[in-house]
Amino acid sequence: MKKQKTETLNRPDNTAFTQQRLPAWQPMLSAGIVIPGFLIIGLAFIGIGVALFVTSQNIQVLERDYTGVEQNSDNNCFQCLNRTNCVCAVQFNLTQQIEGPVFFYYGLSNYFQNHRKYGVSRDDYQLSGDTSYFTEPDEDCIPYRYDSSDRPIVPCGSKANSLFNDTFRLYRLVGGQKKQVPFDGKGIAWWTDYNLKYRNPTLVDGSLAKAFNGTVKPVNWPKPVYELDTSDPSNNGFLNQDFLVWMRRAALPGFRKLYRRISEGEYADGLPTGNYSLEIDYNYPVHAFGGSKKVFFSNVSWMGGKNQFLGIAYLVVGSLCIFMSLVMLIVYAKYRFADEDS
Amino acid sequence: MLNNSGARYKRSKLERKLNADVLYCVLLLFSMCLIGALGHAIWLQTFSNVPLYMVPDSEGRFIPPTLAGFYMFFTMIILLQVLIPISLYVSIELVKMGQVFFITQDIDLYHEETGTRIQCQALNITEDLGQIQHVFSDKTGTLTENKMVFRRCSIMRTEYSHSENAIRLAVLGETDASEDEVTLFQQQQRRKRRQPSLFAEDPGEAAGHCHNAQADVASYQSSKVAAGAHSELAFSSPLETEVVPDRKLLQVVLEADRLMEEGSLDQGPNQGLERSLYLDFFLALAICNTVVVSTATAQRQRVKERRNSYAPQTFWGHLRGFLKKMGSPWSASKFVAGKQEPLADPFAADEEPPDISDTPSIYTTTPEGGNSKTQSEVTNQAQRQRPDPGPASPEDVCYESQSPDESALIHAARAYGFTLLERTPNRVTVLLPHGTLLSYEVLDILTFDSTRKRMSVLVRHPHTDEIILFTKGADSAVMEILEDPAGGATGIEDRLQENVPETIEALREAGMQVWVLTGDKTETAVNIAYACKLLDHRDLVFTLNTDNKALCKSILENTLEEVTRYGPDPAFRGLGEGFRGQAAGDLGGDPTIGLVIDGRTLSLVLEEEDLRSKFVELCRHCRSVLCCRVTPLQKSTVVKLVRDKLRVMTLAIGDGANDVNMIQAADVGIGIFGQEGMQAVMASDFAISRFKHLRRLLLVHGHWCYSRLSNMVIYFFYKNLAYVALLFWYQFFCGFSGTAMIDYWLMIFFNLFFTSVPPIMHGIMDQDASKTTLLSFPELYKIGQHSEGYRRSAFWIAMLDALYQSLVCFFIPYLTYQGSDIDIFSFGNPMNTVSLFTIILHLAIEINAWTVVHWVTMLGSVLLYFAVTLAFSAICVTCNPPSNPYWIMQQQMADPMFYLVCLITVVVALLPKYTLQVLRGTLAPPPLLFARQLERQPPSREEQIRIDVSQAPPDPRFTLSDLSSPPPSPIQTLPPRKL
């Protein structure tokens, strides 16, 4: 009896799991089975493709290069190429209204915000308003950590230092008169950036400027961070919208960044037809290293900005799937052995 | 223990190949890094002015482009190092642990009678089980039970067939395949001429005897039931211990014994001498051995205790204890040897038995008094021993024998009432059928050795003071020196283990060449080979048996020449040719070839390189090779020879200490828990209880382990490259600056958590074919043999697929987001997600059988990815300074574009793989798919499918014509399952 007991103890469990007998589904991949699959995917993709393509087609974009590399009839930025504190203007004519809301972007190309060293050259703690990092910024900011007289730079690092500083004003030319188109600069940054990730330091005596006492501005900046927007005191410090937009690193060397929205007053429905002049405070030097600067007026859809690629890709892949289903049908007809009964 | 050279590290064939591929990965990594370094240097040189985004060093200077490129090489190594699959090695270990778990859990590899599971001692060569090409097997204890069963005997040229016993054996187990080992008993008795006396057999009396005899037997049997129970614990099954006496023989023996007791034996005429010979025969069985006698009562107690605390180790530890105890008879024999001197002259050389007439003195010097003395001695002894637990009654006696033969013989003697009650260094006591105790003085024991090939016991008869020499030995040994006919011969059967022929057949169909290497003599080995279908009667069997080197060489050459005439390479399974060759042989075309070689010849062959090559060449042509009378060293030399010359995967299986060398020499060593100790088991990689388990171990588990592991390894290479290449493509868009567009914690998690469990689960649990299929179609084993699961081509195809998929996973999102205001992690996030789906679904295409575990791990991985990424993006505002994926995933998941990008990317990435898989499954289904489809078909449709199979495009490697023959019903071969 005891012997039997010990033997049963050593006996492996006779369960479906231990005996590898778990009920299993064995997919048999063969032509016959996948025909409907290919067909359904093909049709669905063509549907999606058409929707994307049409949506993308309906997005209107006006794009102008204002680097000023060559003399151009519609802008005079050529004169600013090697000067500082220069103002130039881009003239354009809208023959068709750009439906609102219109988004106004600036774009840079051959500008590697995604360079590894550039990307890490910042201090997240400093930018979250932690004043202990105001006196001693993170080492990642080197060489934009202290200025020549060893004063801490706030905001430190190469990323902040290279802040885009061209400014734009749009005028509509009506009957020979320049009429400024109002820009809306609120809420162009990510909500989380504005509300959670970036924080200004606690005000000292109700003053933001005093909170930055003992720090110096980044070397390339004309003004300190608390004076970025003179027109709107709340749009200063680390919570300046343009600063936030710039600090969100672009993924690719050719990118655009949102500058303003045009959605107020008579422009709520869009930019009407007519002549326009975009005045630019031309400050940001990109030509020296082969970069270019552009502006974009664009409306957006549920799929974001204009992009033909995805719609076409869906159409192509969808057609390919339909083609594959036809191939499979032929294969199936020829070699029907494999999937009979299955 | 002495033969165990300690722990070995075996590296499996697959792992050796894998290491080479890891080197390719290293090369690939280096070339990627080199491209990155060069790219960075060239990129830097394109600038005449320093761009705004360029970060100078702490002194505000910029390092020259070449130096920056040089540094970038190392940055790239850090970025792309995932390409070197360190995780693969860890995963392989985990997978092998899981595989070993399932092997040990297999109830079909569990031996009910002994309660032993398969033991996996080597954890790292499971997949080698699926690649075996040569099997080297021991014979005794491996193919056979090594449990000797008394079958028949012949005394004075009369054969007693023991048909009753045969019936009993038939009931206890199949007896068809059997081996008869003949042991002859020679009785050299200094007998004085006995007075011929008339001995008329009274029919009535004889009938009475017969009746008595039956009664005796009946009571004996019932007592044996009890005895059997405990004697089984002492490692003898009732099969060996119980012998039903032959009715006729029992009658004669009892009669002889009765007459001897009455002292009237001498009075008979010729029959008297004959009858005494009968008695002598059984006395020889009882005395001429080195069996240790112990009392069952004490024994049983101990045995039970041991059984309580059951563990295989203690079980065997105990056996070793028993073996040690057996040392005593040997020392006893030495002790007796000192006493041999007075008798040395007549008995020293048994090759020349001294003339009987020369030595009457021996008998005449034994006075009458001597007779009475011995008698009193007997009684004294009996009295003295009563209080001891000693030989009280025949039922309580337990035998511990060194060899199973001896135990079979002594139990046979016991069945006829000749019970060995006690053995001391100088005395043996035998209880005769009618209750007489005979206590012989042991003068000497000549133990068995391989030169003399027999064993003898020299005793003095207690009554007559006759000095008697009992000798037993193998037929060849005894017959050679025999002048008179043998006193008697016994036939002992070492039964084949169950299902041995079927197992060998299956291994053969699976493309394995089976060799038997045995220390036994040629005749026995050949008999066994036929019995277990290793050799077939249609086979052409060549026997190499010579001790002349020149002759050996010429025989070898001639045989080789002759063999090559029978078709090119019929048996060598060089990439499938053998399959057809074998099939042709089965159809009665060219005969298949067997080779029998004995140890002497083998040692000649092994001496010379030229002969070795010829021998191996000859063996390639043979379906089976049988090496007889080989030493343990030769066994291992043969294994090494074949392994190295033919470059094949070898497996050696054996149960005894003499197999240890061979087991260690082979790629896979298998030990059998047998009657001969633990050495083989301890030296082995896997230890099983029965030979038949080999079939399931190799064909099912071996195949599974190999295909699972090779799939997993290839998948790991694919996975790492597919992911790393994404980062590499991005370098072309970030100035080769070593930026990653994915947060580095998420990158680590990706390999560590999100994509690691499914392949490991796949490596442990996938089934490319079910157990039943694999057993029904042993040909499927050839996939592993030919390393088809893991080829270099498969590796490169996987790598190309990985490159393609990474291109798709990078460039579809790239082209979608190109020129937009997307930020770096929002750009990387869809890529990461798409890679996850592609990598997981790629595996899904590979999975052959989806169980609930598969679903859980696959879905679990995807869910885990989203859960972890969402949590990480939500919690970590500034916790991970240089990189910051805060709120990225949330933002993306609110954007329909994210889903659209993911959908199309995954579809495009997997389309080629999926389409190829489908087309392959339809146009050129590999044998596995065929087998699976056949299995799915209802039986009624089988005919139709056979036609289809034969019309299917011929695969050069697998002629599936054999599949059309009805597969051996798996239900029959599977042991009954308890549900």
Side-chain angles (χ1 to χ4, degrees):
Chain A
M1 292 306 110
K2 275 170 186 165
K3 187 181 147 198
Q4 259 185 347
K5 208 173 170 185
T6 51
E7 277 179 15
T8 35
L9 271 179
N10 198 38
R11 192 174 205 273
D13 293 336
N14 193 359
T15 61
F17 176 71
T18 55
Q19 300 308 309
Q20 308 191 65
R21 281 190 270 109
L22 285 175
W25 169 60
Q26 292 194 333
M28 300 287 270
L29 289 179
S30 63
I33 298 163
V34 297
I35 292 171
F38 273 125
L39 208 62
I40 289 168
I41 291 178
L43 291 175
F45 272 31
I46 288 176
I48 296 171
V50 167
L52 281 171
F53 189 76
V54 169
T55 314
S56 183
Q57 282 300 98
N58 288 336
I59 295 174
Q60 298 158 288
V61 184
L62 181 103
E63 178 186 335
R64 287 290 183 275
D65 188 306
Y66 73 97
T67 324
V69 183
E70 52 205 57
Q71 231 159 346
N72 203 317
S73 58
D74 63 5
N75 74 64
N76 57 353
C77 290
F78 178 71
Q79 60 185 40
C80 296
L81 201 55
N82 295 314
R83 285 169 52 191
T84 48
N85 293 327
C86 169
V87 178
C88 65
V90 177
Q91 317 290 334
F92 61 93
N93 177 267
L94 278 186
T95 51
Q96 199 187 356
Q97 170 166 320
I98 301 182
E99 302 292 331
V102 177
F103 288 70
F104 174 60
Y105 299 88
Y106 63 90
L108 300 175
S109 67
N110 204 20
Y111 193 100
F112 289 78
Q113 250 201 329
N114 58 11
H115 191 284
R116 189 175 60 85
K117 283 184 183 165
Y118 175 86
V120 299
S121 182
R122 65 174 203 277
D123 184 345
D124 276 344
Y125 295 105
Q126 200 182 60
L127 295 170
S128 68
D130 188 338
T131 44
S132 60
Y133 291 86
F134 279 34
T135 46
E136 199 182 337
D138 196 90
E139 283 181 12
D140 284 332
C141 291
I142 293 171
Y144 305 109
R145 192 180 176 199
Y146 298 103
D147 72 351
S148 48
S149 23
D150 256 1
R151 287 170 299 182
I153 297 172
V154 176
C156 72
S158 182
K159 209 166 145 188
N161 189 44
S162 62
L163 178 69
F164 184 78
N165 55 1
D166 285 2
T167 51
F168 305 92
R169 290 170 301 279
L170 182 64
Y171 298 96
R172 188 176 171 204
L173 305 174
V174 186
Q177 276 201 325
K178 290 204 314 191
K179 193 176 168 196
Q180 189 163 6
V181 179
F183 279 159
D184 174 15
K186 286 205 172 67
I188 55 171
W190 279 33
W191 186 89
T192 48
D193 284 355
Y194 187 77
N195 290 292
L196 294 163
K197 200 165 151 185
Y198 291 80
R199 308 288 341 127
N200 271 330
T202 333
L203 301 183
V204 177
D205 304 335
S207 156
L208 183 63
K210 281 187 183 165
F212 285 91
N213 259 350
T215 69
V216 293
K217 63 179 174 61
V219 284
N220 283 4
W221 289 19
K223 289 175 283 184
V225 68
Y226 45 85
E227 288 170 12
L228 280 176
D229 189 348
T230 41
S231 60
D232 179 5
S234 68
N235 190 26
N236 271 314
F238 301 140
L239 296 183
N240 178 274
Q241 295 279 343
D242 291 322
F243 178 69
L244 291 178
V245 168
W246 180 255
M247 292 302 274
R248 192 152 276 278
R249 241 169 121 197
L252 296 166
F255 60 89
R256 60 186 181 185
K257 282 180 183 285
L258 188 57
Y259 186 73
R260 294 292 180 264
R261 268 192 296 243
I262 303 164
S263 55
E264 287 173 5
E266 54 184 306
Y267 301 99
D269 292 337
L271 278 181
T273 53
N275 288 325
Y276 291 86
S277 170
L278 181 72
E279 267 186 34
I280 303 157
D281 292 325
Y282 194 109
N283 297 315
Y284 206 67
V286 293
H287 172 65
F289 49 87
S292 66
K293 302 196 279 191
K294 284 176 185 168
V295 284
F296 301 86
F297 293 93
S298 164
N299 48 21
V300 295
S301 69
W302 58 269
M303 60 172 282
K306 189 178 184 80
N307 185 303
Q308 306 275 44
F309 169 76
L310 204 58
I312 294 170
Y314 264 97
L315 288 173
V316 169
V317 175
S319 315
L320 192 69
C321 285
I322 301 238
F323 174 73
M324 287 306 301
S325 71
L326 289 176
V327 170
M328 291 296 169
L329 197 66
I330 294 163
V331 169
Y332 172 65
K334 281 206 165 182
Y335 302 89
R336 55 177 53 215
F337 156 69
D339 39 70
E340 274 175 346
D341 277 304
S342 46
Chain B
M1 287 299 268
L2 290 173
N3 279 315
N4 192 354
S5 52
R8 293 155 301 148
Y9 183 75
K10 284 188 180 175
R11 185 173 282 153
S12 75
K13 192 180 177 185
L14 187 73
E15 268 178 69
R16 293 195 294 266
K17 253 175 129 179
L18 175 155
N19 287 339
D21 287 339
V22 169
L23 276 181
Y24 284 115
C25 285
V26 173
L27 282 180
L28 197 64
L29 173 71
F30 271 79
S31 44
M32 279 181 166
C33 293
L34 205 62
I35 292 172
L38 286 174
H40 190 63
I42 293 167
W43 178 74
L44 285 176
Q45 259 155 357
T46 56
F47 298 108
S48 46
N49 287 45
V50 178
L52 271 173
Y53 46 82
M54 213 63 92
V55 184
D57 64 10
S58 49
E59 265 112 68
R61 284 181 310 222
F62 293 92
I63 50 172
T66 38
L67 189 60
F70 178 73
Y71 289 155
M72 190 49 62
F73 183 81
F74 299 101
T75 310
M76 288 284 175
I77 287 183
I78 294 168
L79 181 73
L80 306 176
Q81 40 91 17
V82 182
L83 190 57
I84 309 300
I86 307 292
S87 58
L88 174 61
Y89 287 98
V90 181
S91 307
I92 286 178
E93 293 305 312
L94 289 175
V95 162
K96 284 181 178 174
M97 267 170 59
Q99 289 181 341
V100 163
F101 168 78
F102 277 116
I103 292 175
T104 52
Q105 284 295 318
D106 192 340
I107 205 156
D108 296 321
L109 298 179
Y110 169 74
H111 192 228
E112 293 280 354
E113 283 146 49
T114 53
T116 38
R117 298 182 186 189
I118 177 171
Q119 272 184 23
C120 299
Q121 331 243 16
L123 298 178
N124 55 347
I125 55 166
T126 45
E127 71 276 16
D128 273 353
L129 289 173
Q131 296 196 275
I132 302 299
Q133 288 156 304
H134 264 71
V135 174
F136 297 90
S137 173
D138 176 38
K139 183 184 69 72
T140 314
T142 305
L143 298 177
T144 64
E145 300 263 16
N146 203 10
K147 285 180 182 173
M148 304 299 175
V149 180
F150 180 84
R151 287 303 299 268
R152 56 187 60 194
C153 65
S154 156
I155 306 169
M156 297 301 289
R157 300 200 183 97
T158 315
E159 197 197 323
Y160 296 95
S161 61
H162 286 74
S163 48
E164 297 95 332
N165 195 40
I167 292 165
R168 184 189 65 92
L169 288 172
V171 173
L172 277 170
E174 331 119 30
T175 52
D176 45 357
S178 64
E179 170 204 14
D180 284 346
E181 265 192 2
V182 180
T183 311
L184 289 180
F185 286 84
Q186 182 201 9
Q187 183 217 25
Q188 290 180 340
Q189 189 177 9
R190 325 259 127 219
R191 49 183 182 266
K192 61 183 177 193
R193 294 259 161 248
R194 293 172 201 275
Q195 270 181 304
S197 71
L198 230 150
F199 183 82
E201 210 170 293
D202 186 315
E205 202 184 31
H209 260 302
C210 194
H211 180 257
N212 282 347
Q214 290 293 11
D216 272 351
V217 170
S219 65
Y220 183 69
Q221 285 285 29
S222 62
S223 68
K224 282 303 280 187
V225 174
H230 59 75
S231 59
E232 192 199 338
L233 298 182
F235 319 112
S236 335
S237 71
L239 217 60
E240 297 150 70
T241 53
E242 287 176 24
V243 176
V244 181
D246 191 90
R247 200 185 275 200
K248 215 167 75 198
L249 181 58
L250 187 68
Q251 198 179 328
V252 176
V253 170
L254 290 177
E255 179 65 25
D257 180 54
R258 189 185 58 84
L259 288 174
M260 193 204 73
E261 212 168 307
E262 288 169 1
S264 56
L265 195 63
D266 293 350
Q267 284 143 31
N270 290 327
Q271 283 143 319
L273 174 62
E274 202 177 287
R275 273 161 213 270
S276 78
L277 273 175
Y278 274 93
L279 296 182
D280 286 333
F281 172 75
F282 284 102
L283 283 171
L285 291 190
I287 294 170
C288 187
N289 53 46
T290 52
V291 166
V292 177
V293 187
S294 60
T295 0
T297 38
Q299 189 64 37
R300 186 164 34 199
Q301 214 55 41
R302 225 170 54 212
V303 168
K304 275 196 172 173
E305 275 165 28
R306 168 176 19 103
R307 279 287 171 168
N308 277 344
S309 60
Y310 174 82
Q313 274 71 20
T314 56
F315 182 95
W316 288 106
H318 214 89
L319 180 63
R320 282 200 293 281
F322 279 7
L323 290 172
K324 259 183 215 156
K325 274 171 64 185
M326 275 188 267
S328 52
W330 300 98
S331 60
S333 76
K334 275 181 201 148
F335 171 60
V336 175
K339 283 187 166 181
Q340 200 183 330
E341 244 167 335
L343 300 166
D345 192 30
F347 292 105
D350 27 25
E351 289 86 1
E352 299 167 53
D355 194 348
I356 293 164
S357 55
D358 280 353
T359 53
S361 55
I362 293 178
Y363 290 95
T364 46
T365 47
T366 49
E368 281 292 304
N371 199 343
S372 59
K373 194 188 102 198
T374 10
Q375 282 230 315
S376 67
E377 234 177 56
V378 171
T379 43
N380 276 349
Q381 226 170 16
Q383 281 164 2
R384 199 177 63 237
Q385 284 170 355
R386 288 269 185 249
D388 295 345
S393 67
E395 291 82 25
D396 281 348
V397 169
C398 230
Y399 299 123
E400 289 158 20
S401 72
Q402 187 198 20
S403 81
D405 319 58
E406 289 197 338
S407 123
L409 293 179
I410 202 159
H411 282 108
R414 188 164 153 169
Y416 284 93
F418 293 80
T419 312
L420 179 68
L421 280 187
E422 191 197 28
R423 174 186 294 281
T424 61
N426 47 12
R427 194 156 288 284
V428 284
T429 311
V430 181
L431 181 69
L432 296 188
H434 286 93
T436 320
L437 274 179
L438 275 186
S439 183
Y440 288 88
E441 185 189 346
V442 178
L443 301 174
D444 197 1
I445 297 175
L446 302 170
T447 53
F448 182 89
D449 64 57
S450 52
T451 43
R452 220 175 136 250
K453 287 175 184 161
R454 56 191 176 274
M455 138 186 220
S456 307
V457 176
L458 188 66
V459 293
R460 190 196 300 278
H461 193 282
H463 299 273
T464 61
D465 264 3
E466 287 170 310
I467 291 175
I468 309 167
L469 178 74
F470 292 110
T471 300
K472 79 171 180 194
D475 47 0
S476 58
V478 177
M479 284 298 212
E480 262 174 36
I481 56 163
L482 214 58
E483 286 167 359
D484 292 344
T490 54
I492 291 177
E493 176 191 84
D494 186 6
R495 292 148 48 79
L496 269 190
Q497 289 186 12
E498 67 275 20
N499 294 337
V500 167
E502 291 88 340
T503 306
I504 288 181
E505 180 71 20
L507 295 184
R508 276 230 180 103
E509 279 177 43
M512 279 174 259
Q513 243 186 314
V514 183
W515 290 31
V516 170
L517 310 177
T518 177
D520 255 323
K521 62 185 166 110
T522 313
E523 294 86 342
T524 318
V526 168
N527 277 343
I528 270 286
Y530 278 111
C532 64
K533 308 241 171 75
L534 190 72
L535 293 175
D536 192 86
H537 288 285
R538 284 171 299 173
D539 282 358
L540 202 63
V541 178
F542 293 95
T543 308
L544 301 185
N545 187 353
T546 174
D547 39 17
N548 181 319
K549 198 167 199 171
L551 194 63
C552 168
K553 192 172 177 179
S554 72
I555 290 176
L556 208 56
E557 278 163 2
N558 289 342
T559 317
L560 192 57
E561 203 176 299
E562 199 172 337
V563 159
T564 36
R565 272 189 281 132
Y566 291 104
D569 255 3
F572 181 62
R573 281 131 189 85
L575 292 183
E577 275 179 39
F579 184 72
R580 259 180 271 157
Q582 195 192 325
D586 289 346
L587 293 172
D590 293 330
T592 50
I593 290 152
L595 182 73
V596 179
I597 186 166
D598 84 331
R600 279 178 308 172
T601 323
L602 196 62
S603 62
L604 291 177
V605 165
L606 294 177
E607 267 170 28
E608 233 176 78
E609 174 57 35
D610 176 46
L611 289 180
R612 278 204 294 260
S613 319
K614 287 217 168 70
F615 173 65
V616 170
E617 178 63 23
L618 177 61
C619 291
R620 283 179 62 215
H621 289 82
C622 299
R623 194 166 75 129
S624 35
V625 177
L626 198 58
C627 303
C628 318
R629 282 258 179 266
V630 289
T631 62
L633 197 64
Q634 278 179 325
K635 283 187 180 184
S636 74
T637 317
V638 168
V639 171
K640 279 181 201 149
L641 183 69
V642 172
R643 192 188 68 190
D644 298 338
K645 290 254 173 182
L646 293 182
R647 300 192 170 278
V648 288
M649 288 294 286
T650 52
L651 176 145
I653 177 168
D655 73 320
N658 58 340
D659 303 315
V660 167
N661 299 33
M662 160 171 99
I663 285 172
Q664 288 179 332
D667 294 293
V668 178
I670 304 231
I672 288 200
F673 292 107
Q675 314 288 310
E676 296 191 20
M678 282 293 281
Q679 280 100 325
V681 167
M682 279 162 58
S684 67
D685 304 311
F686 300 91
I688 53 180
S689 352
R690 312 300 282 171
F691 184 76
K692 65 167 181 181
H693 288 165
L694 201 57
R695 177 181 179 191
R696 192 168 289 272
L697 183 63
L698 296 184
L699 298 192
V700 178
H701 290 289
H703 174 92
W704 274 347
C705 287
Y706 173 74
S707 72
R708 286 165 178 179
L709 204 71
S710 48
N711 279 343
M712 192 199 76
V713 166
I714 290 177
Y715 178 78
F716 257 91
F717 282 123
Y718 148 82
K719 182 181 95 146
N720 288 337
L721 181 63
Y723 196 62
V724 163
L726 273 187
L727 300 175
F728 181 65
W729 305 134
Y730 188 60
Q731 300 312 308
F732 288 85
F733 303 93
C734 68
F736 302 95
S737 62
T739 314
M741 68 291 195
I742 300 159
D743 177 71
Y744 63 73
W745 277 112
L746 289 179
M747 274 164 62
I748 292 170
F749 290 162
F750 191 90
N751 261 321
L752 204 60
F753 301 128
F754 309 147
T755 59
S756 61
V757 183
I760 290 175
M761 171 273 315
H762 178 77
I764 297 174
M765 294 193 62
D766 191 49
Q767 296 186 5
D768 55 359
S770 69
K771 262 184 204 185
T772 346
T773 312
L774 290 172
L775 288 173
S776 314
F777 305 113
E779 299 84 43
L780 296 177
Y781 188 78
K782 289 176 183 173
I783 295 169
Q785 264 172 350
H786 303 149
S787 302
E788 282 177 30
Y790 186 72
R791 287 167 178 273
R792 184 106 326 132
S793 60
F795 168 77
W796 286 115
I797 288 171
M799 293 306 252
L800 282 180
D801 200 17
L803 277 182
Y804 163 78
Q805 291 186 7
S806 68
L807 280 172
V808 170
C809 291
F810 182 81
F811 281 99
I812 289 185
Y814 168 78
L815 291 169
T816 307
Y817 293 116
Q818 189 189 19
S820 75
D821 59 344
I822 194 153
D823 68 279
I824 188 160
F825 285 142
S826 300
F827 179 71
N829 186 51
M831 292 184 184
N832 207 26
T833 312
V834 152
S835 284
L836 178 96
F837 277 105
T838 309
I839 284 171
I840 294 271
L841 289 173
H842 183 100
L843 184 65
I845 296 176
E846 301 254 301
I847 288 176
N848 293 295
W850 287 76
T851 65
V852 75
V853 184
H854 290 74
W855 288 109
V856 167
T857 47
M858 299 293 257
L859 294 176
S861 291
V862 174
L863 287 179
L864 189 74
Y865 169 73
F866 281 101
V868 169
T869 312
L870 283 172
F872 187 63
S873 316
I875 294 163
C876 205
V877 185
T878 48
C879 61
N880 185 20
S883 88
N884 196 325
Y886 184 65
W887 218 248
I888 299 283
M889 192 59 164
Q890 284 81 349
Q891 188 86 13
Q892 292 257 303
M893 285 181 78
D895 181 0
M897 283 297 274
F898 171 70
Y899 301 98
L900 289 175
V901 167
C902 289
L903 179 64
I904 191 168
T905 311
V906 173
V907 168
V908 173
L910 292 174
L911 201 62
K913 163 110 187 151
Y914 189 72
T915 311
L916 279 180
Q917 198 91 350
V918 168
L919 288 178
R920 204 170 65 116
T922 314
L923 297 178
L928 259 175
L929 275 184
F930 254 128
R932 237 154 77 180
Q933 277 160 354
L934 282 184
E935 199 187 40
R936 281 188 160 202
Q937 307 300 329
S940 57
R941 290 192 41 81
E942 246 170 47
E943 286 302 315
Q944 174 66 37
I945 280 132
R946 271 174 218 163
I947 293 159
D948 284 338
V949 170
S950 53
Q951 284 170 350
D955 184 329
R957 288 185 305 277
F958 286 88
T959 332
L960 271 145
S961 57
D962 204 64
L963 287 186
S964 58
S965 64
S969 168
I971 294 110
Q972 281 176 6
T973 52
L974 296 172
R977 281 174 177 151
K978 280 167 198 156
L979 295 168

